[in-house]
Amino acid sequence: RLHWPTTTGPDMIAKLRAVSEIDGKLPVQPNVSKKAIDFVMANREVLGWRMKLTITRLSMKCAYEGKLDEMRSYQALGTHFRIIDDYISAPFRQMIMNAEIKVGPNFGNLNVAAYSGTELVDRAATYVVLKGMQCHWEKRLRDAQYLEDNSKMVTRETQRMIDMLGDPRRHGDDDAIWTVKDCSRICVVAQNMVKAFVESPDLYDDLPYELRFLEDALSIKGGVALRKYIIDEFCPKNKITPSDLRQAVGRLVEQFFCMYPDPYLDSYFVVEKLFRAMQRTTEDEHDPYAPYSEYKKGSPGYFQTYTFNCIKGSLQFSMASDRFDLPQENFDEEPEALQDIVSKIRDDPGPELRKYWRNFQQDFGFEPDRRGSSIIPYMEDDLAKFVPPPELAIGREHNLTWWYDLNPAALNRTGCMLFGELPPGEIIYE
């Protein structure tokens, strides 16, 4: 294990690279080394999404600075780490999906023993699904209550943000469940199902201690009271140390992060907040990732962002014209019909949108790509001569092009390997 109180970002990356390489090179994707899996498993609570983010930032920093060989080295390590992360998180995802198949048709059935299974892994997965459902509907109920209490104050932008943090169908659709009355009814049923599970000793009492701690801790108010409960009651009762408990809850946080966001994003936020409160005033509060999250010159993860060219008539161009007043130079080379269509899409993005979009394709040289999921213009990006508005540029330079060093497939529009084309991988033992 890493000695967390003294660990630094370069230390973690160097050790991850050392255990990942075989004979001085990373294995060919998607193969991974057994040492790398063991290393990540031993430090699972700290080697997760923030390691992915740190490696990505370092690769972008190298691209910005023109260090292309170092950039490719970070990219390869980042891809290798993601494969390891997926390998480790896959069994958890599968057991949750298996439990969802049993819990879903039994929503509202308080005889939880009938569908929870008898094996420990099945019961633990059932509890996670039930608790995730409870967290999700409690969040939806709070959102619905907020919108109902502040209906005159909620702007379109505020409601859009609420939608982005939860179910995008939460508001507006005829079949969406979004009123306080409906959300409260479902929330009560979800809470009762969790309560019925917890009150069944045969189902609950031998679950992993991090799950049982989760149930107890979420009813405790305040970080001081929480840490006192950990030291004085929970850890002595379960014959573990507070450090053991923090590691276990940290691993659970990473597993929730690897789940699909609907509905487990709400569970992730709840458990992650609890984990941060547990770390306060302890040696685990040390955060070697923090310097890489600072966006200022001189920080180890700094890279300069810039504005891209927007091809006239593209979706990016339409979005920019919707939010900002674009300089007139962006329209000089196009017929008046372009601005008319942009205005129509902006003012009335309803059922007529598809008709206007077809006109874009026919009139301005667009064609559907082979997958049919987007459109690719004939015009090259460098010929677009886009002039960004000051509100979008905010003092940044324009079209520095280092993004294409980082993503050559974005420039060539080819050469990007699809997941379906990957050969099967294996774990390499030394």
Side-chain angles (χ1 to χ4, degrees), residues 8-237:
T8 65
D11 289 340
M12 290 191 295
I13 294 173
K15 291 178 180 178
L16 175 63
R17 186 183 296 278
V19 297
S20 298
E21 292 181 345
I22 298 176
D23 297 330
K25 295 181 180 180
L26 292 174
V28 177
Q29 298 177 23
N31 301 319
V32 295
S33 72
K34 180 63 166 58
K35 287 183 179 179
I37 293 176
D38 292 342
F39 177 72
V40 176
M41 284 289 290
N43 299 277
R44 180 59 176 158
E45 76 279 11
V46 293
L47 294 181
W49 68 269
R50 295 215 290 170
M51 175 57 80
K52 299 177 191 177
L53 181 63
T54 298
I55 296 176
T56 301
R57 289 189 71 100
L58 289 172
S59 64
M60 298 179 79
K61 174 184 174 68
C62 291
Y64 158 61
E65 295 176 344
K67 303 175 181 177
L68 300 188
D69 290 339
E70 193 173 347
M71 174 203 74
R72 296 186 187 98
S73 176
Y74 277 123
Q75 283 184 309
L77 180 63
T79 301
H80 187 75
F81 180 72
R82 282 174 169 81
I83 293 173
I84 295 173
D85 189 71
D86 289 343
Y87 173 85
I88 292 174
S89 61
F92 183 83
R93 288 172 63 100
Q94 187 61 57
M95 60 184 268
I96 297 303
M97 293 172 67
N98 292 343
E100 287 175 341
I101 294 174
K102 299 177 182 179
V103 173
N106 286 284
F107 180 76
N109 182 0
L110 298 184
N111 183 19
V112 289
Y115 51 86
S116 295
T118 57
E119 297 294 331
L120 178 59
V121 63
D122 296 328
R123 289 184 282 112
T126 300
Y127 173 78
V128 171
V129 171
L130 294 175
K131 198 65 180 178
M133 182 170 57
Q134 177 187 350
C135 293
H136 179 66
W137 281 102
E138 286 176 347
K139 175 66 166 59
R140 291 185 66 158
L141 178 58
R142 290 193 297 270
D143 289 348
Q145 190 67 58
Y146 174 81
L147 290 175
E148 186 172 288
D149 294 343
N150 301 275
S151 57
K152 296 182 179 180
M153 301 172 57
V154 175
T155 64
R156 184 177 67 175
E157 193 68 24
T158 304
Q159 184 162 313
R160 184 182 302 170
M161 286 301 299
I162 293 175
D163 293 346
M164 290 173 63
L165 295 175
D167 184 353
R169 301 165 299 174
R170 188 172 304 180
H171 310 287
D173 291 351
D174 293 337
D175 59 345
I177 300 173
W178 58 275
T179 64
V180 172
K181 179 180 178 181
D182 290 339
C183 289
S184 61
R185 291 169 61 186
I186 297 177
C187 183
V188 168
V189 173
Q191 290 172 336
N192 288 338
M193 292 177 73
V194 173
K195 182 180 179 182
F197 187 98
V198 173
E199 292 179 349
S200 302
D202 293 340
L203 300 177
Y204 179 76
D205 285 359
D206 64 339
L207 290 185
Y209 56 78
E210 58 267 33
L211 296 181
R212 289 183 282 111
F213 172 76
L214 179 65
E215 186 65 32
D216 297 341
L218 292 180
S219 61
I220 299 174
K221 302 296 184 181
V224 174
L226 172 67
R227 292 185 289 274
K228 180 176 174 59
Y229 170 73
I230 291 172
I231 296 171
D232 295 344
E233 297 184 42
F234 189 85
C235 287
K237 179 180 177 181

Side-chain angles (χ1 to χ4, degrees), residues 147-391:
L147 290 175
E148 186 172 288
D149 294 343
N150 301 275
S151 57
K152 296 182 179 180
M153 301 172 57
V154 175
T155 64
R156 184 177 67 175
E157 193 68 24
T158 304
Q159 184 162 313
R160 184 182 302 170
M161 286 301 299
I162 293 175
D163 293 346
M164 290 173 63
L165 295 175
D167 184 353
R169 301 165 299 174
R170 188 172 304 180
H171 310 287
D173 291 351
D174 293 337
D175 59 345
I177 300 173
W178 58 275
T179 64
V180 172
K181 179 180 178 181
D182 290 339
C183 289
S184 61
R185 291 169 61 186
I186 297 177
C187 183
V188 168
V189 173
Q191 290 172 336
N192 288 338
M193 292 177 73
V194 173
K195 182 180 179 182
F197 187 98
V198 173
E199 292 179 349
S200 302
D202 293 340
L203 300 177
Y204 179 76
D205 285 359
D206 64 339
L207 290 185
Y209 56 78
E210 58 267 33
L211 296 181
R212 289 183 282 111
F213 172 76
L214 179 65
E215 186 65 32
D216 297 341
L218 292 180
S219 61
I220 299 174
K221 302 296 184 181
V224 174
L226 172 67
R227 292 185 289 274
K228 180 176 174 59
Y229 170 73
I230 291 172
I231 296 171
D232 295 344
E233 297 184 42
F234 189 85
C235 287
K237 179 180 177 181
N238 290 274
K239 299 179 181 179
I240 58 175
T241 66
S243 178
D244 293 335
L245 181 60
R246 290 193 298 269
Q247 292 174 23
V249 174
R251 291 193 294 267
L252 187 61
V253 169
E254 292 299 334
Q255 291 300 106
F256 270 123
F257 186 85
C258 293
M259 293 297 296
Y260 28 94
D262 186 9
Y264 295 103
L265 183 62
D266 299 319
S267 302
Y268 166 77
F269 285 137
V270 169
V271 182
E272 198 272 343
K273 185 177 180 180
L274 174 66
F275 181 50
R276 297 303 166 203
M278 295 170 63
Q279 289 181 312
R280 292 290 301 273
T281 70
T282 71
E283 60 181 16
D284 291 342
E285 195 173 13
H286 170 66
D287 186 7
Y289 291 114
Y292 298 91
S293 302
E294 298 176 355
Y295 187 72
K296 62 181 181 181
K297 288 186 176 181
S299 64
Y302 173 79
F303 55 89
Q304 182 180 356
T305 60
Y306 64 93
T307 53
F308 287 91
N309 277 333
C310 280
I311 300 172
K312 299 177 181 64
S314 67
L315 180 60
Q316 297 96 320
F317 188 92
S318 300
M319 293 174 66
S321 64
D322 184 36
R323 294 188 60 190
F324 308 105
D325 293 327
L326 297 184
Q328 189 59 38
E329 296 92 319
N330 293 300
F331 301 98
D332 289 344
E333 299 177 4
E334 296 290 351
E336 288 294 323
L338 173 63
Q339 185 57 44
D340 293 341
I341 295 176
V342 170
S343 299
K344 289 178 181 178
I345 293 177
R346 180 180 59 204
D347 298 338
D348 183 21
E352 299 298 313
L353 178 59
R354 293 185 180 276
K355 182 181 72 174
Y356 293 144
W357 193 246
R358 285 196 296 271
N359 291 341
F360 265 107
Q361 293 176 273
Q362 296 171 3
D363 297 342
F364 298 103
F366 289 84
E367 65 170 359
D369 75 349
R370 63 187 179 187
R371 292 169 295 179
S373 60
S374 61
I375 61 171
I376 298 178
Y378 290 116
M379 190 185 306
E380 294 293 337
D381 287 1
D382 290 339
L383 300 179
K385 305 299 183 185
F386 177 71
V387 180
E391 300 88 348

